[in-house]
Amino acid sequence: MSDTTNNTGAMKGLWKYVIFSAAIIIAAVVLSMAYTQKYKAQPGTITVTGLGEMEFTSDVIAIQGAIRVNNVDAAEGYRELMQQRDMLISYIEQNGVSAKSLSFGMPSTYKQYETIYQDGEYMGQKFSHYLISSSFVIESTDLDKVESVAQQLPALIEKGVNIEVEEPLYYFTKLDNLKHDLIAKAAADAKARAEQIASNSGVKLGELNDSRAGVFQITSVSGNEEFSAGGIYNLTSRDKKARVTVRSVFTIAEK
């Protein structure tokens, strides 16, 4: 059994956010296919690009990690793993996080081997011990409490738990609503720009001829990530900024 299979079990609670987020990005790419190509302006039109930006805070946090046990006896190692899992459950409950927030992946067992050399010459390998592991995910809408508990999890090492903890991942469950608000904001900005151009040029703005949204760029609030042609979705920042552009073509009306 591979590590990938093991991790999949623990992350099943996250897939609804991962798939949902990916669907939003893919939809934006499809919507913006014409936008990403070079646009040829039509005679008698005004072409503008509007910008929509919005800051928001994630509403779901996910802490991923793993517990690992080394033992020459597979059965004993599995019992030890279960004990350490129980210690993790007890620890987070004592710190105010519900055990329902914690899910485990299917335990996996790997034979570990020791390389044998004699007089500097490779002689082969012999069995050393079993590595038995289980991944886990703590998923919650209580970001402050889970962040605090996650910072303390390495303290379990002193209690004999061989635990590894990764950096938090942050998700936003209302991304679809945010997407619509951003497009509306960018479209309104495009129209305002077109009206200003028309006014400065002494012409009258006509009807909207075409409008296309670009891809969504979701970054940290600092926005120091590089934008991608296919869109990006930052998962490591709690506070994020979403950005989208809308390219609109307006006709020039007769005065």
Side-chain angles (χ1 to χ4, degrees), residues 7-186:
N7 291 336
T8 299
M11 291 188 65
K12 61 183 179 181
L14 296 180
W15 279 118
K16 56 181 175 289
Y17 303 120
V18 175
I19 295 173
F20 178 75
S21 303
I24 295 299
I25 298 299
I26 293 171
V29 172
V30 173
L31 185 64
S32 64
M33 288 179 65
Y35 165 77
T36 57
Q37 299 175 357
K38 187 174 181 181
Y39 182 83
K40 295 183 179 180
Q42 303 172 17
T45 62
I46 295 175
T47 302
V48 291
T49 299
L51 173 64
E53 286 186 326
M54 192 176 299
E55 294 184 3
F56 63 97
T57 300
S58 305
D59 57 6
V60 172
I61 184 173
I63 306 293
Q64 301 179 58
I67 297 174
R68 292 182 170 85
V69 169
N70 296 304
N71 201 304
V72 294
D73 184 282
E76 180 61 30
Y78 179 78
R79 286 190 290 270
E80 186 180 349
L81 181 71
M82 294 301 102
Q83 292 174 356
Q84 295 195 12
R85 281 177 36 158
D86 289 342
M87 292 174 67
L88 173 58
I89 294 171
S90 176
Y91 187 80
I92 69 168
E93 286 185 320
Q94 290 172 8
N95 286 275
V97 176
S98 171
K100 294 181 180 179
S101 302
L102 176 62
S103 60
F104 290 95
M106 183 180 297
S108 58
T109 304
Y110 306 94
K111 286 185 176 180
Q112 303 297 299
Y113 295 89
E114 177 184 348
T115 302
I116 302 173
Y117 291 94
Q118 184 174 340
D119 298 326
E121 183 178 349
Y122 175 75
M123 302 299 293
Q125 292 182 322
K126 70 175 183 178
F127 172 75
S128 174
H129 61 276
Y130 290 99
L131 169 62
I132 306 171
S133 65
S134 176
S135 59
F136 66 84
V137 175
I138 303 173
E139 177 190 336
S140 175
T141 56
D142 193 338
L143 277 66
D144 291 334
K145 187 167 291 184
V146 172
E147 281 181 346
S148 176
V149 170
Q151 292 173 357
Q152 302 173 51
L153 283 179
L156 283 170
I157 296 175
E158 297 180 355
K159 301 179 183 295
V161 179
N162 185 7
I163 188 172
E164 297 177 4
V165 183
E166 299 180 11
E167 291 294 318
L169 298 178
Y170 298 93
Y171 298 87
F172 187 60
T173 59
K174 302 179 181 65
L175 194 59
D176 194 28
N177 295 334
L178 180 68
K179 177 193 72 171
H180 291 299
D181 292 342
L182 276 175
I183 291 177
K185 190 173 182 179

Side-chain angles (χ1 to χ4, degrees), residues 194-215:
E195 289 173 341
Q196 185 64 51
I197 291 173
S199 176
N200 292 344
S201 303
V203 298
K204 183 179 179 181
L205 190 67
E207 295 182 352
L208 176 65
N209 187 33
D210 188 34
S211 186
R212 302 180 187 275
V215 295

